[in-house]
Amino acid sequence: AQKITQTQPGMFVQEKEAVTLDCTYDTSDPSYGLFWYKQPSSGEMIFLIYQGSYDQQNATEGRYSLNFQKARKSANLVISASQLGDSAMYFCAMRGRSEKLVFGKGTKLTVNP
Amino acid sequence: GAGVSQTPSNKVTEKGKYVELRCDPISGHTALYWYRQSLGQGPEFLIYFQGTGAADDSGLPNDRFFAVRPEGSVSTLKIQRTERGDSAVYLCASSLRWAGTGANVLTFGAGSRLTVL
């Protein structure tokens, strides 16, 4: 079974600064994928970034990058140059052999002006 | 459609009543997923369809919950004899690919908020 742990219930960051949201995972599957989703107050889940377990390089998508440390089983999300619109819940998720996407409990990010 | 559409967006019902929640996935997406999100929690997997068949229904909490996708497109999540503990946001997602290969990104709808009084 897969498990995702997000230990930061809430995080605060100043506008224009970078922030790291932590995610650790546990799985016995040799091949897996890691995802980050953003959920604004409107409720819709928005895909941000994906990292495959065999990918050699850390994934990047614009201001989002994923700090993937396989040996530590961590997949932290780094948001650079934070904007007010980044304030939202952020969920880390993973998929192993099954099609289930397993989510963590999320981190609430607040960007201060 | 342009995105995943879920109706109703809000549903208030009384304990013991029957409820149907509808999901219209992105056109051409063969895989469809239902998740439940309780307050302050991450989404919890309920069921996954590949085409018309339920490929994995291991997340359905009990036999009061049932989902169908008769024509491989629109899906309906059905809850019988609702209980107060069923109150949550029910999220639907669809994806173009399946079988766990590559990113297989799920696109989510805005959800149906169910309140059982």
Side-chain angles (χ1 to χ4, degrees):
Chain A
Q2 284 89 37
K3 184 178 179 181
I4 294 285
T5 302
Q6 294 182 255
T7 57
Q8 305 156 315
M11 288 285 286
F12 294 86
V13 65
Q14 286 297 122
E15 195 177 5
K16 299 180 185 177
E17 294 188 349
V19 63
T20 298
L21 306 183
D22 294 343
C23 172
T24 58
Y25 61 91
D26 191 24
T27 182
S28 56
D29 291 335
S31 176
Y32 50 88
L34 295 154
F35 300 75
W36 278 91
Y37 279 83
K38 172 184 178 182
Q39 188 176 43
S41 55
S42 60
E44 194 159 341
M45 300 284 284
I46 302 167
F47 167 73
L48 296 178
I49 195 166
Y50 165 82
Q51 179 84 43
S53 59
Y54 289 113
D55 292 344
Q56 294 297 312
Q57 294 189 328
N58 286 344
T60 60
E61 287 287 348
R63 294 186 298 111
Y64 304 108
S65 60
L66 202 152
N67 184 0
F68 180 46
Q69 298 187 46
K70 195 170 182 177
R72 290 179 142 186
K73 293 190 175 181
S74 75
N76 298 339
L77 177 70
V78 180
I79 305 174
S80 63
S82 296
Q83 302 172 356
L84 296 178
D86 294 335
S87 293
M89 286 292 294
Y90 287 81
F91 292 96
C92 180
M94 76 173 300
R95 176 193 290 118
R97 279 177 298 179
S98 78
E99 279 305 303
K100 293 180 196 180
L101 195 59
V102 176
F103 286 85
K105 289 189 173 183
T107 296
K108 183 176 182 179
L109 177 66
T110 302
V111 180
N112 294 317
Chain B
V4 178
S5 176
Q6 292 189 247
T7 54
S9 55
N10 275 288
K11 176 71 177 179
V12 180
T13 190
E14 294 179 343
K15 181 175 178 293
K17 298 290 187 183
Y18 170 79
V19 165
E20 288 190 353
L21 306 175
R22 175 188 166 107
C23 174
D24 199 342
I26 292 173
S27 178
H29 279 195
T30 56
L32 185 146
Y33 306 75
W34 283 99
Y35 282 79
R36 177 169 71 175
Q37 188 174 22
S38 301
L39 195 62
Q41 302 294 316
E44 174 192 17
F45 172 82
L46 296 177
I47 187 170
Y48 151 64
F49 288 89
Q50 176 56 36
T52 58
D56 185 346
D57 65 357
S58 61
L60 295 177
N62 50 60
D63 60 6
R64 295 187 298 105
F65 287 75
F66 190 70
V68 296
R69 195 186 185 199
E71 297 177 358
S73 175
V74 171
S75 176
T76 304
L77 179 65
K78 308 180 180 193
I79 311 174
Q80 298 177 320
R81 304 183 304 281
T82 52
E83 299 177 358
R84 292 193 180 89
D86 298 336
S87 296
V89 175
Y90 290 81
L91 295 168
C92 178
S94 68
S95 70
L96 185 59
R97 295 191 294 168
W98 67 290
T101 56
N104 191 20
V105 173
L106 272 61
T107 301
F108 283 83
S112 292
R113 181 177 297 277
L114 175 65
T115 303
V116 182
L117 302 177

